[in-house]
Amino acid sequence: MSAPTSKPVAAPPWPGSKADGVARLELNGETVEIPVVIGTEGERALDIAKLRATTGAITLDEGYVNTGSTTSAITYLDGEKGILRYRGYPIEDLAAKADYVEVAYLLIYGKLPTSDELDSFRMSLSLHTMIHEDMRNFYSGFPRDAHPMAIVGSVVGALSTFYQDSLDVRDPRQVEVSVHRLLAKLPTIAAYSYKKSVGQPLMYPRNDLGYCENFLHMMFAVPCEEYHVDPDFAEALDMLLIVHADHEQNCSTSTVRMVGSSDANLFASISAGISALWGPLHGGANQACVEMLERIGADGGNVKKYVDLAKKKDSGFRLMGFGHRVYKNYDPRAKLIKATCDKLLAKLSIRDPIFDIAQQLEEVALADDYFIERKLYPNVDFYSGVIYRAMGIPVQMFTVLFAMGRLAGWIAHWIEMHHSPTKKICRPRQVYTGEMRREFLPITKRT
Ligand code: SDX
C-alpha cells in the first residue's frame, strides 16, 4: 500500500492502532481516499468512518464476515495459524500454568495478578457467591424441564433488580462491584438451574472451596451426606473454563458489546450474551455435538454416513463441533480439550463410546476433500462434551458451562467498550429494498 502523497494522515481514532497509508476507491467517477489502520499483529483495516459522508454509500457484509466493529487489546486470534492469546499470553501456557480466576483477572484487568492481588480477588469472589434468598424462590417458578440456559439468562438479568446499588455504568466502583458479583454468583445460579431440574435442594456455596470445587459441590452435593469433589474433575473443569474464557468478537461477545453500547447495565448486557451463546451454531454446539455423536452411536456408529450427510447441502445436517468462522486450522482449544479427554478418561478408566465415535468422525472428516477444501476442523465444542459427560454433567448444562467460562471475556469486552474514547451506540445501517411510497387505501377499496 503506497504511503499517502496528498496530505499527512491524521492518527486514526481507533485506540491502539496506527495509520498505515490509504486505500483509494473509485466511486461515481471520483477517487476517494480511505485511511488504512494497522494493529499490533499487522492486521489491516479500512477505516470507513467517513465513507457515507464523503460518498453517500455504505458497505454491506452479511454476518460481518469482513467487518471489524472495534479495535481490542484483549484477545488475539490467528485463524490460519491456529493461534489464540489472551492479553498476549498463549492459551497453551494459561491452560497449563494458570487457573480460571487468575485468567479472569488477566482478561478484565489486563495483567496477570500479583500474589496479593489474586488472593484479594479470590476472597472478594468467595464473599459474593450467595444469591439473595428471594432469588432462590425464582427456581420454584420455572417448569422442571426448563432449559438451564433459559433459567440462567433470566436470573442473571434479574440480578439488576436485586443489586440496584451497582447499575451505574459510569461509576467505576459500581461496575467493579457488579463484575465481582457476576463472577461469584454465576456458578451458584448455574448449579441451581441443575438442582431445579432434578428436584434436589439448592446447596449453598462454601467459602472454603475453590471456584470450580464450589461449583461441583453445589451441583452434586446433597444435604444428607458429605460430598468430596474429585480433584481431577475440578482440574478438568478449570481448564475448560480457561479455554472458553474469551474469543474476541464472537457472536455473544458482540451481543454484549451491542447491548452495552446503549449504556444498559452490565447484568442486562451479560444476560443478552447468554441468550446469543445458546444458539446451536454458537455455544449451543457443545450440546448439539454430543446429541449428534449419540445419534451416530445409536445408528450403529456409521460415521461415514454422517460425514456424507453433512456434505449434502439440502440435508440441513452439519457436523456440530466442526468448522469455524475464524479458525481455518485446528482450533487450539480443541487440541487442549482432546488431550484432557484422553488423560481424564484413561485415569478414570472410563470408556465412553462417544469419545471413540468423535475420534473416528474427526479422522474420516479430516481426510475428506469437502472438509479439507473448506478448512473445516474440530472446534472448541467438539470434545468438550465428552469431558462434561465424564463428570456427570447433563447435556443441557454444557452451554451453561460455556457461559461460565465466557463470562470473564464478556465482562472484559464490556469494560473495554466503555473505556473507549470513541464509544458510540451500535446502530448499523441498511440498504432498503422494499416498496416505494404507496397511497393508503381505505379497507373498502383493498383487494
Ligand atoms: C463457537 O466465533 C467464535 O469465535 C465462536 C466460538 C467462540 O469461542 O466464541 O469459537 C464458539 O461458536 C464455535 C462454533 C460452534 N458451532 C458449530 O460447531 C456448528 C457447526 N459449525 C457451523 O455451522 C459453522 O462452521 C460455523 C457456524 C461455526 C461457521 O459458519 P460460517 O463461518 O458462517 O461458515 P459457513 O456456514 O458459511 O460455511 C462455509 C462452508 C459452507 O459450505 P459452502 O456453502 O461453501 O459449500 O462450510 C460448510 C458450509 O456448508 N460448513 C459445514 C460446516 N461448517 C461449515 N459443512 C458441514 N458441517 C459443518 N460443521
Side-chain angles (χ1 to χ4, degrees):
M1 191 76 67
S2 59
T5 49
S6 47
K7 55 186 177 301
V9 177
W14 299 92
S17 67
K18 287 197 175 62
D20 188 51
V22 294
R24 288 181 182 81
L25 175 69
E26 296 285 335
L27 189 61
N28 306 330
E30 287 197 24
T31 301
V32 179
E33 285 194 344
I34 297 175
V36 177
V37 300
I38 190 164
T40 43
E41 288 285 351
E43 296 163 303
R44 282 188 175 79
L46 305 185
D47 176 353
I48 57 170
K50 296 190 170 53
L51 181 69
R52 189 170 185 273
T54 51
T55 70
I58 62 167
T59 58
L60 275 184
D61 185 18
E62 188 75 49
Y64 308 118
V65 175
N66 305 284
T67 297
S69 57
T70 185
T71 54
S72 176
I74 299 171
T75 289
Y76 173 66
L77 298 187
D78 182 320
E80 279 63 42
K81 295 180 188 148
I83 291 173
L84 171 58
R85 296 188 201 127
Y86 296 161
R87 300 283 188 184
Y89 295 94
I91 190 68
E92 294 79 7
D93 289 352
L94 294 171
K97 300 168 186 165
D99 69 24
Y100 176 71
V101 172
E102 196 173 2
V103 169
Y105 186 100
L106 168 67
L107 286 165
I108 294 165
Y109 293 97
K111 73 179 193 70
L112 285 171
T114 62
S115 176
D116 290 349
E117 287 166 337
L118 186 53
D119 289 348
S120 138
F121 189 51
R122 280 195 216 284
M123 178 56 70
S124 172
L125 297 190
S126 290
L127 297 179
H128 283 88
T129 49
M130 287 203 293
I131 60 174
H132 194 289
E133 280 298 291
D134 291 351
M135 283 199 105
R136 286 162 63 92
N137 301 332
F138 281 16
Y139 290 83
S140 51
F142 290 108
R144 272 196 67 175
D145 58 353
H147 195 290
M149 282 297 276
I151 296 176
V152 171
S154 310
V155 177
V156 166
L159 287 170
S160 58
T161 65
F162 283 85
Y163 300 109
Q164 300 183 38
D165 62 342
S166 62
L167 300 181
D168 181 353
V169 302
R170 300 197 186 290
D171 179 335
R173 183 65 198 134
Q174 290 191 33
V175 168
E176 184 158 47
V177 167
S178 293
V179 165
H180 288 213
R181 279 174 169 156
L182 266 168
L183 282 167
K185 296 179 197 307
L186 187 56
T188 309
I189 291 168
Y192 287 3
S193 69
Y194 167 66
K195 282 303 200 187
K196 158 73 198 180
S197 71
V198 293
Q200 288 183 357
L202 307 182
M203 297 299 291
Y204 284 102
R206 281 178 37 183
N207 293 349
D208 62 322
L209 296 179
Y211 197 82
C212 292
E213 290 81 358
N214 214 352
F215 171 72
L216 292 172
H217 182 268
M218 288 187 281
M219 279 285 290
F220 299 119
V222 288
C224 16
E225 60 188 25
E226 272 301 299
Y227 178 80
H228 297 289
V229 174
D230 182 324
D232 291 325
F233 286 169
E235 185 189 352
L237 176 59
D238 197 78
M239 185 281 296
L240 286 165
L241 294 183
I242 289 172
V243 300
H244 284 85
D246 193 51
H247 217 237
E248 56 136 274
Q249 304 306 321
N250 59 84
C251 178
S252 55
T253 299
S254 298
T255 300
V256 169
R257 280 177 169 259
M258 169 76 80
V259 172
S261 75
S262 73
D263 281 2
N265 67 68
L266 181 59
F267 302 122
S269 306
I270 298 300
S271 175
I274 292 170
S275 298
L277 186 72
W278 192 4
L281 293 185
H282 188 18
N286 55 18
Q287 171 177 345
C289 179
V290 163
E291 289 166 347
M292 170 190 75
L293 295 170
E294 285 172 338
R295 178 181 160 193
I296 295 172
D299 189 12
N302 180 351
V303 294
K304 179 136 182 19
K305 170 182 172 185
Y306 287 86
V307 168
D308 292 341
L309 190 63
K311 291 155 61 177
K312 291 195 178 74
K313 282 280 160 276
D314 57 358
S315 72
F317 175 79
R318 285 194 162 188
L319 291 190
M320 301 317 276
F322 245 83
H324 200 276
R325 172 64 56 79
V326 175
Y327 287 125
K328 300 307 170 192
N329 198 325
Y330 211 100
D331 186 330
R333 302 168 297 176
K335 270 186 203 157
L336 290 166
I337 295 172
K338 185 179 177 184
T340 300
C341 267
D342 270 328
K343 198 174 88 179
L344 191 66
L345 297 188
K347 188 164 191 181
L348 302 175
S349 315
I350 296 176
R351 288 258 342 134
D352 185 346
I354 71 151
F355 186 43
D356 300 335
I357 292 171
Q359 294 178 95
Q360 291 159 27
L361 193 61
E362 173 187 342
E363 194 181 328
V364 172
L366 294 190
D368 187 293
D369 287 344
Y370 174 95
F371 290 84
I372 294 168
E373 283 155 20
R374 290 166 180 79
K375 298 182 180 175
L376 303 175
Y377 291 88
N379 60 48
V380 68
D381 295 311
F382 192 63
Y383 286 108
S384 54
V386 178
I387 300 182
Y388 294 143
R389 271 162 61 103
M391 289 181 202
I393 306 271
V395 67
Q396 282 209 335
M397 285 292 290
F398 290 2
T399 312
V400 172
L401 270 70
F402 194 148
M404 275 172 52
R406 188 50 54 88
L407 177 62
W410 285 336
I411 289 170
H413 282 275
W414 189 91
I415 290 172
E416 183 179 67
M417 175 201 57
H418 273 288
H419 286 177
S420 167
T422 57
K423 174 187 176 288
K424 284 181 181 306
I425 185 169
C426 295
R427 201 272 186 220
R429 291 270 182 173
Q430 64 162 27
V431 171
Y432 176 71
T433 55
E435 295 282 347
M436 306 280 278
R437 191 182 186 287
R438 294 195 279 180
E439 282 310 310
F440 183 84
L441 280 183
I443 195 156
T444 51
K445 294 196 173 160
R446 293 174 205 160
T447 52

